[in-house]
Amino acid sequence: MDLENIKIYIGIATAGVALVTGGYQAADKFGWLQEPILEWAPEHFSVTSGPVDGEFKVTVARVKLRDDCTVDDFVLDVRDSELIVHQGTPSITTFMGPANHRVDTFAYTFTFNDPSRVASGEATLIAYINYGCPEGKVVVQYPDHDNLKFNIER
């Protein structure tokens, strides 16, 4: 083996290491290697129907898969029968519990911030949980499921 061939082999090995390292860093940056924070169990979800100026009870269920993220914010909205989105105020804004592989069911209530603007009829609950995780901010949304539909009465 001469010096020119050794240089070529070293160049190829260096390029291969750089490619693997760069690919790993890119996959990590885009979140392709991250485990989800939770898995929803929407078959356990429910929202009570009731008067627009009353309190609505929400039951949700999830399997928490990670312990390394904290809840930074919880945003609760409702899309009314006229498809207008209204802000709600939940009775809780943070959720706790250890990671495990079983369904954890919990409930909370909410009221509308401005009930006079909400249309009666079928509505859909929409919620976003903003997590602070080691890889950065992660937003998790409630799933689109029939169990998040409820009726608003006047």
Side-chain angles (χ1 to χ4, degrees), residues 78-86 112 117-125 150-154:
V78 173
R79 186 176 52 238
D80 70 13
S81 62
E82 295 180 1
L83 305 179
I84 298 173
V85 176
H86 303 275
F112 286 106
R117 300 181 63 124
V118 181
S120 60
E122 186 178 81
T124 304
L125 184 70
F150 62 104
N151 283 303
I152 298 171
E153 303 158 0
R154 286 243 166 238

Side-chain angles (χ1 to χ4, degrees), residues 84-99:
I84 298 173
V85 176
H86 303 275
Q87 189 173 16
T89 301
S91 60
I92 59 172
T93 56
T94 59
F95 315 100
M96 296 180 164

Side-chain angles (χ1 to χ4, degrees), residues 6-143:
I6 292 173
K7 286 181 182 178
I8 290 172
Y9 292 130
I10 290 173
I12 291 171
T14 302
V17 168
L19 182 64
V20 169
T21 303
Y24 176 81
Q25 288 177 342
D28 187 44
K29 181 176 176 83
F30 291 118
W32 297 335
L33 303 177
Q34 299 300 325
E35 180 181 13
I37 298 168
L38 57 82
E39 290 177 2
W40 294 115
E43 63 275 10
H44 299 285
F45 283 28
S46 67
V47 184
T48 60
S49 297
V52 68
D53 57 353
E55 203 171 60
F56 297 85
K57 180 182 176 186
V58 179
T59 302
V60 294
R62 48 107 165 110
V63 176
K64 186 175 178 188
L65 303 173
R66 292 174 57 182
D67 273 332
D68 60 342
C69 300
T70 58
V71 175
D72 292 339
D73 191 25
F74 175 60
V75 178
L76 186 138
D77 292 324
V78 173
R79 186 176 52 238
D80 70 13
S81 62
E82 295 180 1
L83 305 179
I84 298 173
V85 176
H86 303 275
Q87 189 173 16
T89 301
S91 60
I92 59 172
T93 56
T94 59
F95 315 100
M96 296 180 164
N100 56 48
H101 291 287
R102 64 180 170 78
V103 174
D104 181 24
T105 304
F106 58 96
Y108 61 90
T109 60
F110 78 90
T111 56
F112 286 106
N113 291 3
D114 188 359
S116 66
R117 300 181 63 124
V118 181
S120 60
E122 186 178 81
T124 304
L125 184 70
I126 306 165
Y128 305 91
I129 306 169
N130 298 309
Y131 286 94
C133 298
E135 67 270 19
K137 180 181 174 182
V138 177
V139 179
V140 177
Q141 182 178 351
Y142 277 13

